[in-house]
């Protein structure tokens, strides 16, 4: 009964006893700051979505940007999703993102677990090499020469293999695996479990938060990558969505073979550009809410334990 009363009191206490209550001015200042930051974040997003849903004539009359369209017009989405360049590029980006994320997670988890185990032969030199990647970047030309020597030019493997393992993500997972009590590993070994079984049955279930965060990092990196495609893929039909988006937004013209007509590009290209931007944002916007609850826990715990 006493414990129940204490828990009730703690739940009702808004802050620790040693922390003074903020003044009304501070509370108002925080509220105003939050509203301003929220407006700065939401306003550009609404402009992008509103412009993509506006008709061509309304975009022209408003000077190129529409916050709230008078009539919902899906012609821009119909044009870019009617089986042309954008549809093909979206499928390429989805395939590269899913394949790259899975391969990176498998490799990073296996490597992090191995480096987290004491007594690993060569573990210290390998860890030093991983830490050196934070100080020295390979550079564009050496990376291109390595990709060329391996015969990966013109293939989707060139978008995945050079960035298969991230040093930061590796250290986060390694710190998380090291934080698992050693008694669990010892008990599993006494029961005759192999290292692979220990990793799959014990380490991975206890590290779901960190793995979810690392998977999000990899997925966002693969989905947003465009420079590697420009560098390694000479065939424009193999380009992912982000390269097509760059062509639309920065250069003002789609790739050859786009379904957008010349008249639409000249009269109201902005609606098509914003529709491609919205299409590129949808996957991350849909995935992030399911991973967000693991975000702070995974990163902070892994960083502290490292």
């Amino acid at each position: 009964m006493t414990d129940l009363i204490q828990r009730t009191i703690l739940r009702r206490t808004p802050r620790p006893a040693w922390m003074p209550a903020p003044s009304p001015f501070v509370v108002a200042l925080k509220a105003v700051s939050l509203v301003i930051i929220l407006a700065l974040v939401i306003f550009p997003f609404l402009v992008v979505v509103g412009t993509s849903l506006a008709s061509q004539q309304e975009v022209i009359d408003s000077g190129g940007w529409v916050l709230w369209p008078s009539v919902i017009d899906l012609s821009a989405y119909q044009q870019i999703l009617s089986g042309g360049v954008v549809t093909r590029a979206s499928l390429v980006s989805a395939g590269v993102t899913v394949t790259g994320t899975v391969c990176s997670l498998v490799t990073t988890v296996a490597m992090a677990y191995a480096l987290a185990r004491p007594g690993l032969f060569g573990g210290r030199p390998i860890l030093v090499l991983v830490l050196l990647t934070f100080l020295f970047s390979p550079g564009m030309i050496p990376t291109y020469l390595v990709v060329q020597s391996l015969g990966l030019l013109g293939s989707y493997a060139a978008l995945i293999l050079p960035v298969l393992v991230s040093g930061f993500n590796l250290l986060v997972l390694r710190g998380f695996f090291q934080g698992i009590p050693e008694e669990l590993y010892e008990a599993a070994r006494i029961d005759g479990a192999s290292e692979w079984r220990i990793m799959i049955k014990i380490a991975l279930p206890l590290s779901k938060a960190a793995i979810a965060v690392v998977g999000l990092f990899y997925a966002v990196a693969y989905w947003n990558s465009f420079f590697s495609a420009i560098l390694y893929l000479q065939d424009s039909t193999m380009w992912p969505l982000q390269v097509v988006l760059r062509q639309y937004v920065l250069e003002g013209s789609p790739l050859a073979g786009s379904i957008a007509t010349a008249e639409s590009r000249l009269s109201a290209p902005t609606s098509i550009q914003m529709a491609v931007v919205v299409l590129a944002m949808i996957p991350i916007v849909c995935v992030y809410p399911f991973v967000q609850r693991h975000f702070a826990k995974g990163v902070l715990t892994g960083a502290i334990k490292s």
Side-chain angles (χ1 to χ4, degrees), residues 43-291:
F43 180 76
F45 180 78
L46 293 179
V47 169
V48 170
V49 176
T51 304
S52 67
L53 296 175
S55 62
Q56 295 184 1
Q57 188 60 43
E58 187 175 2
V59 173
I60 296 174
D61 296 339
S62 62
W65 303 101
V66 177
L67 177 61
W68 194 266
S70 57
V71 178
I72 301 298
D73 188 356
L74 300 178
S75 59
Y77 291 94
Q78 293 175 355
Q79 290 183 29
I80 65 176
L81 294 176
S82 60
V85 171
V86 175
T87 303
R88 182 175 61 249
S90 300
L91 296 177
V92 171
S93 291
V96 171
T97 300
V98 173
T99 305
T101 302
V102 171
C103 293
S104 294
L105 274 180
V106 172
T107 307
T108 305
V109 167
M111 189 174 178
Y113 178 79
L115 292 176
R117 298 296 85 222
L120 175 67
F121 176 77
R124 183 67 61 178
I126 295 176
L127 183 60
V128 171
L129 291 177
V130 173
L131 295 176
L132 287 178
T133 61
F134 289 93
L135 302 177
F136 304 101
S137 174
M140 181 180 64
I141 295 178
T143 303
Y144 182 87
L145 294 177
V146 171
V147 172
Q148 185 182 39
S149 64
L150 294 176
L152 300 178
L153 290 180
S155 66
Y156 293 123
L159 308 181
I160 299 175
L161 293 182
V163 291
L164 186 64
V165 178
S166 169
F168 173 78
N169 296 335
L170 179 64
L171 291 181
V172 169
L173 286 181
R174 176 179 176 270
F176 220 99
F177 291 145
Q178 286 180 326
I180 298 176
E182 190 64 26
E183 291 78 7
L184 294 178
Y185 296 122
E186 295 297 336
R189 292 190 185 96
I190 292 174
D191 291 339
S194 63
E195 288 295 337
W196 283 104
R197 189 174 182 84
I198 294 174
M199 181 183 71
I200 295 174
K201 295 296 185 179
I202 296 179
L204 295 188
L206 295 177
S207 307
K208 290 180 180 179
I211 294 175
V213 172
V214 169
L216 177 64
F217 285 162
Y218 278 127
V220 171
Y222 282 118
W223 180 261
N224 291 331
S225 176
F226 72 94
F227 186 72
S228 298
I230 297 177
L231 195 62
Y232 303 132
L233 302 180
Q234 291 78 25
D235 187 0
S236 61
T237 60
M238 299 177 62
W239 283 356
L241 180 61
Q242 302 303 328
V243 181
V244 178
L245 173 62
R246 178 180 178 274
Q247 294 292 117
Y248 271 101
V249 176
L250 298 183
E251 300 185 8
S253 62
L255 296 173
S258 173
I259 36 69
T261 63
E263 180 182 357
S264 65
R265 292 198 297 266
L266 292 175
S267 59
T270 308
S271 60
I272 300 178
Q273 294 174 5
M274 296 303 104
V276 179
V277 173
V278 173
L279 186 64
M281 291 190 302
I282 286 177
I284 302 302
V285 172
C286 293
V287 171
Y288 185 79
F290 298 98
V291 188

